[in-house]
């Protein structure tokens, strides 16, 4: 596609439910990033995938959070047993990762846990 | 942790040049300076990056001091649509995650 696509754009879920957020990166981009942005706050790094290397999971806030990237393309961020503090916009980005390249961001998924 | 320091907020009159400073005194020799911005309710947008030479593109200019410990992003003729949070980031060459700091909230005043 022309840009990074995220779905759904909005998700409302009940506390304790699991949710899956999807990211379709730009075709050919080997690097993929997930961030979280709570209301009025900055971007919090969650996880980074680069090609076939082991992902950098250092930003995941708890073991309720996990992410996969299948076939080096689409990525899914899963949050288990959601809590109200998980409410935020979840942003995905991708980049070529060939030398110094810019990252392209999607429009995000707004997650609301009620 | 973010490796940069930026003012929390700045104002600039519409039509004037907006100069956004960034300190990165611990920058390493292999780290580039990147600038992104985030307009309200949108994902961040890449603006420009550089290593040690000044850079210019259709959006902005990047001035990096000779010792590379600070830089300035220049929007030559600011418009109301340039109101956003501007993030200065240092990042090593390839295969490195991008860590955002708190950025500078730029208000363009009519």
């Amino acid at each position: 596609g022309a840009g990074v696509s995220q779905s759904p754009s909005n998700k409302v879920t009940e506390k304790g439910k699991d949710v899956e957020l999807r990211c379709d990166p730009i075709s050919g981009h080997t690097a993929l990033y997930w961030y979280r942005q709570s209301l009025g706050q900055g971007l919090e790094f969650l996880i980074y995938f680069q090609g076939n290397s082991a992902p950098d999971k250092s930003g995941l806030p708890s073991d309720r959070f996990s992410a996969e990237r299948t076939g080096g393309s689409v990525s899914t961020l899963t949050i288990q047993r959601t809590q109200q503090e998980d409410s935020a916009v979840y942003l995905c980005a991708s980049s070529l990762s060939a030398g110094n390249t810019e990252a392209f961001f999607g429009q995000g998924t707004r997650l609301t846990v009620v | 942790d973010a490796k940069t320091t930026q003012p929390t907020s700045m104002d600039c009159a519409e039509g004037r040049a907006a100069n956004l400073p960034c300190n990165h005194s611990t920058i390493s020799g292999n780290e580039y300076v990147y600038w992104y911005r985030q307009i309200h309710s949108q994902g961040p947008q890449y603006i420009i990056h550089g290593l040690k030479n000044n850079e210019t593109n259709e959006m902005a200019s990047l001035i990096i001091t000779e010792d590379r410990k600070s830089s300035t992003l220049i929007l030559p003729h600011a418009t109301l649509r340039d109101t956003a949070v501007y993030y200065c980031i240092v990042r090593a060459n390839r295969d490195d995650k991008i860590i955002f700091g708190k950025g500078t909230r730029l208000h363009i005043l009519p």
Side-chain angles (χ1 to χ4, degrees), chain A:
Chain A
V4 177
S5 178
Q6 292 188 245
S7 60
S9 55
N10 283 283
K11 175 73 176 178
V12 179
T13 189
E14 292 181 352
K15 177 181 174 181
K17 300 283 190 182
D18 298 351
V19 295
E20 287 189 351
L21 311 180
R22 177 186 170 103
C23 174
D24 284 88
I26 293 173
S27 178
H29 281 194
T30 61
L32 188 146
Y33 317 76
W34 281 99
Y35 293 86
R36 176 170 73 173
Q37 189 168 35
S38 302
L39 187 63
Q41 302 299 310
L43 286 93
E44 177 187 5
F45 166 77
L46 296 177
I47 188 169
Y48 165 58
F49 295 89
Q50 169 48 43
N52 296 321
S53 302
D56 181 339
K57 304 179 181 181
S58 60
L60 294 178
S62 77
D63 59 7
R64 296 187 296 105
F65 288 73
S66 63
E68 291 185 343
R69 189 177 185 193
T70 55
S73 180
V74 173
S75 178
T76 302
L77 177 70
T78 301
I79 308 173
Q80 296 178 312
R81 305 180 302 282
T82 52
Q83 304 294 313
Q84 287 187 327
E85 59 263 29
D86 299 335
S87 296
V89 175
Y90 289 82
L91 289 156
C92 175
S94 71
S95 66
L96 274 172
S97 191
N100 294 290
T101 59
E102 62 186 278
F104 295 84
F105 281 78
Q107 291 301 301
T109 294
R110 181 175 298 279
L111 175 67
T112 304
V113 182
V114 298

Side-chain angles (χ1 to χ4, degrees), chain B:
Chain B
D1 291 332
K3 303 177 184 177
T4 62
T5 304
Q6 299 177 252
T8 302
S9 65
M10 292 182 62
D11 292 338
C12 179
E14 187 178 17
R16 305 296 293 269
N19 296 277
L20 293 92
C22 179
N23 287 324
H24 32 79
S25 59
T26 61
I27 192 170
S28 300
N30 67 339
E31 288 180 321
Y32 286 65
V33 180
Y34 281 77
W35 283 84
Y36 284 77
R37 73 179 182 184
Q38 187 174 25
I39 295 170
H40 183 61
S41 297
Q42 297 183 20
Q45 174 191 24
Y46 166 86
I47 301 173
I48 198 167
H49 76 280
L51 181 64
K52 54 184 178 181
N53 297 322
N54 298 337
E55 302 289 343
T56 296
N57 63 20
E58 66 278 5
M59 288 184 67
S61 294
L62 174 60
I63 309 298
I64 303 174
T65 58
E66 191 170 345
D67 64 6
R68 302 208 323 123
K69 293 185 177 182
S70 65
S71 60
T72 301
L73 178 75
I74 301 172
L75 308 178
H77 304 287
T79 71
L80 296 177
R81 288 175 294 181
D82 292 321
T83 293
V85 178
Y86 287 76
Y87 296 97
C88 171
I89 297 160
V90 295
R91 183 186 182 204
N93 195 0
R94 72 173 68 217
D95 298 344
D96 200 20
K97 60 195 178 192
I98 306 170
I99 300 298
F100 289 81
K102 297 186 183 300
T104 296
R105 187 172 297 276
L106 177 66
H107 299 275
I108 305 301
L109 306 176

